Amino acid sequence: MKTITNNTIIDVDMGDKIYKSNIELIIGVLFVFNKTLTTKNLTMNLKRTFGAILTVLGIIGLIYAGIGIINHNNGATTLIVVGLIALLFFFSGISLVRNTKDEA
């Protein structure tokens, strides 16, 4: 007989013994024994993700600076600073994505 309660505990009645196991514990054990999920792969994926975020932020900053220059909305100093920071973000993001090797 199987019963699932609200606190995610499964009771299984097998003969005269009752086994209780927590679903989160089972999922945690599966991640521990999964050999493809290592610290090195997590670090590489984190670098690639951060590189993609930096690239997108750089693109957004370059678009903002470009629109500001075309419309003559903001001061030149502000647009130059935003443009330089956007270029820095863009190229550092591209270099992180390009230089991080896939180890699948």
Side-chain angles (χ1 to χ4, degrees), residues 49-61:
T49 304
F50 189 62
I53 291 170
L54 282 177
T55 304
V56 169
L57 286 175
I59 290 171
I60 291 171

Side-chain angles (χ1 to χ4, degrees), residues 7-22:
N7 60 1
T8 67
I9 292 182
I10 301 172
D11 298 332
V12 180
D13 187 8
M14 302 182 88
D16 57 347
K17 295 182 180 179
I18 296 177
Y19 297 97
K20 292 185 179 183
S21 62
N22 198 340

Side-chain angles (χ1 to χ4, degrees), residues 4-75:
I4 301 177
T5 60
N6 288 338
N7 60 1
T8 67
I9 292 182
I10 301 172
D11 298 332
V12 180
D13 187 8
M14 302 182 88
D16 57 347
K17 295 182 180 179
I18 296 177
Y19 297 97
K20 292 185 179 183
S21 62
N22 198 340
I23 291 176
E24 288 88 7
L25 180 64
I26 293 171
I27 293 172
V29 169
L30 289 176
F31 277 118
V32 169
F33 288 116
N34 188 1
K35 293 187 180 194
T36 60
L37 189 64
T38 63
T39 306
K40 187 173 185 180
N41 287 342
L42 285 175
T43 304
M44 296 302 159
N45 289 337
L46 186 65
K47 282 183 181 179
R48 278 186 169 266
T49 304
F50 189 62
I53 291 170
L54 282 177
T55 304
V56 169
L57 286 175
I59 290 171
I60 291 171
L62 288 172
I63 291 172
Y64 176 77
I67 290 173
I69 290 172
I70 290 172
N71 292 335
H72 301 288
N73 286 342
N74 298 330

Side-chain angles (χ1 to χ4, degrees), residues 67-100:
I67 290 173
I69 290 172
I70 290 172
N71 292 335
H72 301 288
N73 286 342
N74 298 330
T77 308
T78 304
L79 292 177
I80 290 172
V81 170
V82 169
L84 288 176
I85 292 173
L87 281 173
L88 179 72
F89 277 20
F90 180 75
F91 285 117
S92 63
I94 291 291
S95 108
L96 264 178
V97 171
R98 184 184 300 162
N99 294 332
T100 304

